[in-house]
Structure formats: C-alpha cells, structure tokens
Amino acid sequence: MTVTLDVARTTGLRDPKAILDDIGMANPQLIPDLGIGLWEREVRLLQRDVVRVRSLAERIINQGVAYLITAMEKPGNDMGPGFEVDQGVHQIILDTPTYWAICEKYNQGRYKHHAPLIERRRDGIVMRTAALIAKNGFAIDAELWEVDASDCGPCDDKVPDSH
C-alpha cells in the first residue's frame, strides 16, 4: 500500500521547537544546563548519544515531538513511527522530567505509556502515522518517514493509554 503525503505549506503549522521551549520556560528545572532552551537540550542529548550530525538530530527531535503530541491528542488512533523518528521519541521519553511535562500539558496530566512490540510491523502504519500527524497541524519531514515506510513501527496500542 502506498500513502502519499500532501502537506499544505502554511504559516499555521505547529512548531515543535517552540512547543519544547515553551514547556522549558514554564518548567525551568527541566533545563539544568545554563543558557539553553529545552529544544537545544534535547537536540544535544540526541547528538551526544545517537545522531552525530546536528541538522539530522534537529529533524529527528522535530518529528519525535510531533509524534508524541499527536499520540497524546489523538488517543485511540493506531500509530507507530519508523526507526529514524523513533530515535527522537525515545530521546524525549528517556529525559523523563521533560516527557512528564509533555504528558501533563498534552495528555491531561496522565502519563502516556510507551509499549513497543519486539517485532516491527509491516502494515503501512508509518505512513498512516505521518498523515495523522500532518492532519494534527505539524509539518512532516517526508524523508524521515519514507525511509522506514516498508519496515514499520514497533508500537503497540493494546496497552491502555500507550503509543
């Protein structure tokens, strides 16, 4: 199955960088590193551990934030990122105080569980997820989604309130 992403380019798109920085400003304890915003912190952490190229780390964090917020705002939708975007999702989840602050704001104060399957799904979920994120007001980095379109995401929506 082929899903084509047709994302309108408008100025009304939601900005993951601004979203993280707003959360950081509301919760300054999330940024123990002096002089940087929460966006910068997450990008640097991803660069430190996983992705060495800054521009790629920024793209991955951008899509990870868009995925997490959409999963929280659109419960009940079967969603799953591919490997590339999942690195950004995991980075944010591993920074547990940041992830909790996102859950508080976008998941009505409830923790959103992350319940991956061992085997990756191959049912087109990655591209359907990208389309759902686009409908939720975020720009899609098509290259990051399409690279994993045939080796789909491992997320399991069977655990209550999970992605």
Side-chain angles (χ1 to χ4, degrees):
M1 172 164 81
T2 301
V3 176
T4 304
L5 292 178
D6 184 22
V7 180
R9 302 287 180 219
T10 67
T11 57
L13 291 173
R14 299 169 77 181
D15 181 4
K17 180 182 185 302
I19 288 169
L20 278 186
D21 283 342
D22 288 348
I23 289 171
M25 289 189 60
N27 302 278
Q29 74 280 6
L30 298 177
I31 313 167
D33 315 282
L34 297 176
I36 65 171
L38 190 54
W39 169 265
E40 182 67 20
R41 175 179 165 75
E42 296 307 316
V43 169
R44 288 186 190 183
L45 286 170
L46 187 63
Q47 278 188 278
R48 182 194 72 190
D49 295 336
V50 180
V51 178
R52 301 290 183 239
V53 178
R54 181 176 176 91
S55 60
L56 181 56
E58 289 176 338
R59 291 169 61 197
I60 290 171
I61 291 294
N62 179 295
Q63 297 298 282
V65 169
Y67 170 84
L68 286 169
I69 290 174
T70 300
M72 292 175 191
E73 291 179 342
K74 305 291 182 189
N77 285 287
D78 190 17
M79 295 178 63
F83 177 78
E84 293 300 324
V85 173
D86 209 23
Q87 292 178 90
V89 171
H90 289 168
Q91 172 50 55
I92 293 163
I93 291 172
L94 286 172
D95 192 357
T96 58
T98 294
Y99 184 58
W100 174 242
I102 293 170
C103 289
E104 284 188 309
K105 183 166 184 172
Y106 293 98
N107 201 42
Q108 295 82 41
R110 294 185 319 268
Y111 187 81
K112 183 80 163 178
H113 294 281
H114 182 56
L117 299 167
I118 293 172
E119 294 294 323
R120 291 193 176 273
R121 296 168 55 183
R122 289 174 175 77
D123 60 359
I125 190 69
V126 170
M127 299 311 292
R128 289 193 310 272
T129 296
L132 181 62
I133 290 168
K135 287 180 184 172
N136 200 35
F138 292 97
I140 295 300
D141 187 329
E143 184 179 38
L144 290 181
W145 291 91
E146 291 168 355
V147 72
D148 295 317
S150 64
D151 189 23
C152 294
C155 294
D156 181 7
D157 66 343
K158 305 304 182 267
V159 175
D161 199 23
S162 69
H163 61 91

